[in-house]
Structures are given as C-alpha cells and as structure tokens.
Amino acid sequence: MAIPITVLDCDLLLYGRGHRTLDRFKLDDVTDEYLMSMYGFPRHFIYYLVELLGASLSRPTQRSRAISPETQILAALGFYTSGSFQTRMGDAIGISQASMSRCVANVTEALVERASQFIRFPADEASMQALKDEFYGLAGMPGVIGVVDCIHVAIKAPNAEDLSYVNRKGLHSLNCLMVCDIRGALMTVETNWPGSLQDYAVLQQSSLSSQFEAGMHKDSWFLGDSSFFLRTWLMTPLHIPETPAEYRYNMAHSATHSVIEKTFRTLYSRFRCLDGSKGALQYSPEKSSHIILACCVLHNISLEHGMDVWSSPMTGPMEQPPEEEYEHMESLDLEADRIRQELMLTHFS
C-alpha cells in the first residue's frame, strides 16, 4: 500500500500565513563573539544596518510570509563574509537556503540604492586639500587626492557565449575600478567592467577619467601603478628609474599606493564571497556587480563606525601581473611627462 507523503514548506512552518515576520532569532540572545564569528560584524553595526535598511526591507511583497529586516540582514552578512549559502547559516537564523538567497538579493539592492550616500568623492576645496595633506604626510608625495587600482572578482560564465568576461587567466571575472583615501575609504567604485578589459582600458572608459580629463582639478592627481598610462591627473612610477630623484619618487609612490593594496586585501578577507575561496559568484554579471558594490558600501560604513580598515585578518600578498605586461605603459603624454619630471625635480632631488 502506497503511503502518502506530504511535502512541507519549511518557511511556512516557521512564518505561518499572513505578512508576519520571523522573530525566531534574537540578537540579544547571542554573544558578540558569536555574531563576529558567524556574520563578521559586531552587534552595534548590525543594529545600525537594521535602522538604515529597515524601510526598504519591509516593503510589501506578494508573498504570504515576510522575513524580518533583522533576519534578512544577518542572512546577507553571512553570505558576504562566508561566500556560501551554508545550511548551518540558514539553520542558525531559521530560514531555508532559498530564503537565504532572497534575503541576499533584497539586502544587496537596498545597499546599492544607498551607494552614493557612502561612496563619494569630496567636492569642496577644503576636503581636497585635506586629502593632499594626509597623503603627503604618509610618504612625502605631494598633490595626491587618491590612489587608484583595479581588482578582479570571479563570476560564473554568463549564459551567452560572451568572451568579454574572460580575463588573462582564462577565468570569467569582473574588473572593478576603485579609488581610496589614506584610511582605505572608497571614494569611487565601478564594478561593472568585463574581466577581459585591462586596467588601463577600464580607467579610460570610466566616469572618473571623463571627469578629470576635463582638467577640473589643477595640481592634483591620483596615483596608479604601472598598469595605467601616465596622465596629467594620474602619476605612475617610472619603469626604469636611473637617478636618485627617480628612485626616491618611485619609493614614495610605492609607499603611498600600498594603501589601496591593503584595502583590497581587507575587502577579500572580510568579504569572502569576493576572494574566490568558495568559488565564483554564481550570478549574472549585473547581479555580481551589485554584490561587489554592496560589499564596498559595507566596507565604508564599517569605517564610519570605527572599524579600522586593516583590523581584519589579512590574506596573502596581492598577486601582481607579470612585469613584462607593464612595458608598454610608458607615457605618450608629453604634458604628463613634464609634470612628473617637475614633480621629481621639485620634491625628490
């Protein structure tokens, strides 16, 4: 005799009918150590996110059951910091893996909507001068208003036969352009560029390049490594320094540019969904781009809440492209070359 089997909806058992929210997991019921180990952030930070995102995460839905903003945020933080939809993560807060995925999508979009609130480049002259003063105090490099570099994040192969996302290692990725200040706070983030684009091509096509090519900021520049072309607004190291002044310039450049390398290591170590240790992001390029941007927003919010950019455990050193790939990056911009020569003569001779 066949025995009838009833398939139970686990979320329905937890939530019941109607627009009720899940209150099974209470932040006050667990220790700070537990929150840090499971979700990567302290209690006060999580409460702030609940206040910040609560309205967006409480929007009316077509579903007969809703998950509380608090639980949605914990689910998303668990994914961002671990890189996987682990069963134990969902079990800890009482939701299924499918619900975990929906929570990540909701929180990601809520953070992306607020990106301009937390990732912004200073507009006033006083803030620009403060940036220059802080960078100068680090290694004696004048005129610096930010350090720029690109970072690859692995994604699954798009459904279409699109080779534009295949990077030089033969893997699918997004090449993300970022600019940070001396604290590691991100001032510009563009996460949508296909992995096949080299760093200099990403910068050339970016909104950042459009803004600064217009010459809006005189006697100010970013620092970029040798994967970029020298520009009047972007100082790069000399490929083969010869004089003492050139060596001193390169040393100051390297010490200053290391800020963004440390920032990238922090992003990778705090947000393990980005570092590829649990595999590529299993989303479309657009959704993967939003997840990366959401992590960048969280990074800046954590700085505003006193969580030092380099307080997270560091991973190994950032892998650098082979040196020969940089050989063609020497400047063809005579005015930019003149500015760099004058910079070395004035400050490093």
Side-chain angles (χ1 to χ4, degrees):
M1 176 180 177
I3 300 176
I5 298 176
T6 303
V7 179
L8 299 179
D9 183 333
C10 294
D11 287 352
L12 181 60
L13 290 176
L14 287 172
Y15 308 145
R17 297 289 182 187
H19 291 288
R20 291 186 289 175
T21 59
L22 173 65
D23 294 317
R24 176 179 174 181
F25 185 92
K26 296 287 189 181
L27 280 177
D28 292 337
D29 293 340
V30 297
T31 65
D32 293 332
E33 291 75 14
Y34 176 83
L35 291 175
M36 286 296 297
S37 65
M38 286 291 288
Y39 308 106
F41 291 95
R43 189 186 312 274
H44 70 87
F45 183 86
I46 297 172
Y47 276 132
Y48 173 78
L49 292 181
V50 172
E51 180 180 354
L52 176 70
L53 307 178
S56 297
L57 300 177
S58 300
R59 293 169 179 162
T61 69
Q62 298 301 313
R63 297 184 175 277
S64 60
R65 52 204 182 271
I67 303 176
S68 69
E70 181 179 291
T71 301
Q72 292 184 61
I73 288 168
L74 289 173
L77 292 179
F79 169 72
Y80 297 147
T81 58
S82 72
S84 65
F85 293 113
Q86 299 178 24
T87 301
R88 70 181 183 88
M89 189 73 69
D91 289 344
I93 52 179
I95 61 176
S96 67
Q97 185 169 326
S99 294
M100 280 277 295
S101 182
R102 290 195 297 271
C103 292
V104 170
N106 293 342
V107 174
T108 295
E109 291 311 305
L111 287 168
V112 168
E113 288 174 0
R114 291 161 177 78
S116 61
Q117 178 181 345
F118 296 99
I119 301 175
R120 56 190 181 273
F121 195 82
D124 61 284
E125 197 59 38
S127 297
M128 297 284 280
Q129 187 59 50
L131 285 172
K132 294 179 184 180
D133 294 342
E134 290 170 350
F135 276 115
Y136 185 80
L138 177 63
M141 181 69 77
V144 179
I145 55 176
V147 285
V148 58
D149 210 343
C150 290
I151 185 174
H152 281 263
V153 176
I155 63 172
K156 73 172 183 178
N159 293 330
E161 292 295 328
D162 190 349
L163 298 180
S164 65
Y165 291 94
V166 179
N167 61 31
R168 63 183 178 83
K169 291 184 176 181
L171 305 174
H172 291 81
S173 68
L174 291 169
N175 195 4
C176 307
L177 177 72
M178 302 187 190
V179 177
C180 76
D181 66 14
I182 196 170
R183 299 181 305 126
L186 298 167
M187 300 184 292
T188 297
V189 175
E190 297 186 21
T191 61
N192 59 305
W193 297 104
S196 65
L197 285 181
Q198 296 189 50
D199 293 359
Y200 74 89
V202 169
L203 182 60
Q204 284 177 343
Q205 298 178 50
S206 69
S207 59
L208 182 71
S209 178
S210 301
Q211 177 184 355
F212 281 85
E213 286 288 359
M216 295 172 57
H217 304 284
K218 298 294 184 182
D219 301 318
S220 304
W221 38 74
F222 298 105
L223 294 190
D225 63 20
S226 298
S227 62
F228 299 104
F229 287 114
L230 179 70
R231 291 287 183 263
T232 56
W233 50 273
L234 179 69
M235 294 292 106
T236 60
L238 287 127
H239 183 57
I240 304 177
E242 296 178 347
T243 68
E246 290 175 347
Y247 275 102
R248 283 192 286 269
Y249 166 85
N250 269 15
M251 289 177 64
H253 188 291
S254 177
T256 308
H257 190 266
S258 66
V259 171
I260 199 164
E261 296 165 3
K262 294 176 182 177
T263 302
F264 284 170
R265 285 198 292 268
T266 297
L267 285 170
Y268 271 151
S269 61
R270 175 169 285 163
F271 303 105
R272 303 310 292 268
C273 67
L274 305 182
D275 74 351
S277 63
K278 298 295 178 64
L281 287 174
Q282 297 299 303
Y283 297 92
S284 68
E286 181 182 6
K287 289 184 178 180
S288 295
S289 172
H290 285 185
I291 288 173
I292 300 166
L293 182 55
C295 290
C296 292
V297 173
L298 288 173
H299 169 83
N300 275 12
I301 296 176
S302 69
L303 280 178
E304 291 187 6
H305 281 73
M307 299 174 65
D308 186 76
V309 64
W310 300 309
S311 62
S312 299
M314 293 296 180
T315 56
M318 292 287 291
E319 180 184 353
Q320 299 297 322
E323 190 68 24
E324 59 268 19
E325 293 192 11
Y326 292 157
E327 290 182 359
H328 66 289
M329 291 297 153
E330 285 300 322
S331 175
L332 301 177
D333 187 330
L334 295 179
E335 177 62 14
D337 189 63
R338 184 196 66 77
I339 291 175
R340 185 169 64 178
Q341 291 295 332
E342 183 178 316
L343 182 62
M344 289 186 289
L345 178 65
T346 305
H347 294 277
F348 297 99
S349 294

